[in-house]
Amino acid sequence: MRYELYYWPSIQGRGEFVRLALEDAGAQYTDVARLSKRDGGGTQAMMQLLEATELAHPAFAPPILKAGSQLIAQTANILLFLGPRLDLVPKNEAARFWAHQLQLTIMDLVAEAHDSHHPIAASRYFEEQKTEARRRAGDFTATRVPKFLGYFERALARNGAGRHMVGRACSYVDLSMFQVVAGLRYAFPAAMLRTQAEYPRLAALHDRVAERPRIAAYLASKRRLPFNEQGIFRHYAELDEGR
Amino acid sequence: MRYELYYWPSIQGRGEFVRLALEDAGAQYTDVARLSKRDGGGTQAMMQLLEATELAHPAFAPPILKAGSQLIAQTANILLFLGPRLDLVPKNEAARFWAHQLQLTIMDLVAEAHDSHHPIAASRYFEEQKTEARRRAGDFTATRVPKFLGYFERALARNGAGRHMVGRACSYVDLSMFQVVAGLRYAFPAAMLRTQAEYPRLAALHDRVAERPRIAAYLASKRRLPFNEQGIFRHYAELDEGR
């Protein structure tokens, strides 16, 4: 099976959680919008799929995964679908619901990370909501990040030797957790530096994922887009604490 | 199987999406926190489960469903679990992923509905963020609600006779869609009245769900909590358009 991923070609964003799973599994996939227009790529290719009026199962937003004739959207839903196919989730059903539960909680944190710089309207510029963003980002780093990361740290600690979020091997949840830690460190270096000692297991998990051979190769490649200020995790010095 | 639902006892909130599925299926369930303290209920019972240190699969937030020895959290995940068990989703796998995709998009809308009155911090009073809430609610009703409802209206129109969101029978997605329409009408009556003609199929779906015998009985019972200003859909006149 060759998968097709449809996502914005210039940001990590939510698509990155899917990319990390496909990369770690060594899956064959095309990151369609990153192909040249000549090869049927570009943002246009993604927009065409989003707006196609003949689709029975239209997507509200990217990322969208095409697997044969099946189209699947919503990041956590894509990972629910890919998990068993890429051997990135345990086999038993209860563990799969647990993995999905953790992934949905990760996606909640991701949505809040986005709103930390866009608390009023995603459709308006950051500069139009900077004052509000300062207040929201302050609450996000002081209250929400510790609540989420404290929760994930506890969940990790309760899972056997505390080396994996779910089960006894690397799952898509570990890959997503890596991305969240990396993203928060990029966006809020001061806040994360101050509190990092409180999440030793998550920090170690981040490092182990980064060293997985296929992930390390991916991170060193041009396929890994850099963090930037168009994505979800953005670094604005005025939103990081103590600035 | 007798299910136990753990959710705030005084609001509809996210728990209502689970309650509607259990009610429509005529499932046996206990809404634990709504029992008296004497009977092991109250908010305390929910908090104990949330904070229990011995759980391998802790929840980040309610609602939590207990099914035998299994604990499941995250609203859409609970419905993913209950769907097949309550016969509230089609049997084929592709339709189940599609139903879940729609449900996750509904939950995104629900999160945005919450943030329309709490754009800065969930932990602070509405009065502390009323100015920001006016801006965000303005964008929510002008931009986001039309985008979401327009999407759901299209998805409904593309599904056969346009009577169900998924497949040919009532699913948990229809029940959730009913709740979203009811909630938005409660919170933003002026905005919804002005735009209702644009979503005729969703309006008809809402009415059909309300007339389902078990749902009608539930809505008329004391088990159905009224909308109020502690829940997700809140009516503040100053946030509804034209006020």
Side-chain angles (χ1 to χ4, degrees), chain A residues 27-78:
Chain A
Q28 289 206 302
Y29 77 103
T30 305
D31 202 339
V32 178
R34 295 188 68 190
L35 294 178
S36 69
K37 273 192 176 180
R38 206 167 153 176
D39 294 330
T43 302
Q44 208 182 343
M46 183 191 80
M47 294 309 294
Q48 276 174 357
L49 186 65
L50 259 180
E51 294 165 1
T53 54
E54 77 281 8
L55 298 177
H57 298 172
F60 181 74
I64 307 170
L65 185 80
K66 197 168 179 177
S69 63
Q70 201 170 349
L71 287 175
I72 300 161
Q74 281 280 357
T75 312
N77 196 36
I78 294 172

Side-chain angles (χ1 to χ4, degrees), chain A residues 52-53 55 58 73-74 77 85 93 97-98 100-101 104-105 108 115 119 121 128 132 135-136 139 151 158, chain B residues 52 55 58 73-74 77 85 93 97-98 100-101 104-105 108 115 119 121 128 132 135-136 139 151 158:
Chain A
T53 54
L55 298 177
Q74 281 280 357
N77 196 36
R85 288 161 177 83
E93 198 199 24
F97 277 104
W98 170 233
H100 191 53
Q101 178 177 327
L104 289 171
T105 308
D108 286 346
D115 282 11
E128 295 181 73
E132 294 90 341
R135 284 189 74 192
R136 176 136 187 177
D139 180 75
Y151 167 74
R158 289 182 199 177
Chain B
L55 297 178
Q74 281 280 358
N77 196 35
R85 287 162 177 83
E93 199 199 23
F97 277 105
W98 169 235
H100 191 52
Q101 178 178 325
L104 289 171
T105 308
D108 286 346
D115 281 11
E128 294 180 73
E132 295 90 343
R135 284 189 75 192
R136 176 138 187 175
D139 180 76
Y151 167 75
R158 290 183 198 177

Side-chain angles (χ1 to χ4, degrees), chain A residues 205-227:
Chain A
L205 176 69
H206 166 277
D207 296 351
R208 280 195 304 276
V209 168
E211 287 166 8
R212 290 174 66 80
R214 286 184 181 131
I215 295 294
Y218 170 63
L219 296 177
S221 76
K222 285 188 180 169
R223 298 194 304 286
R224 170 77 165 185
L225 294 158
F227 283 110

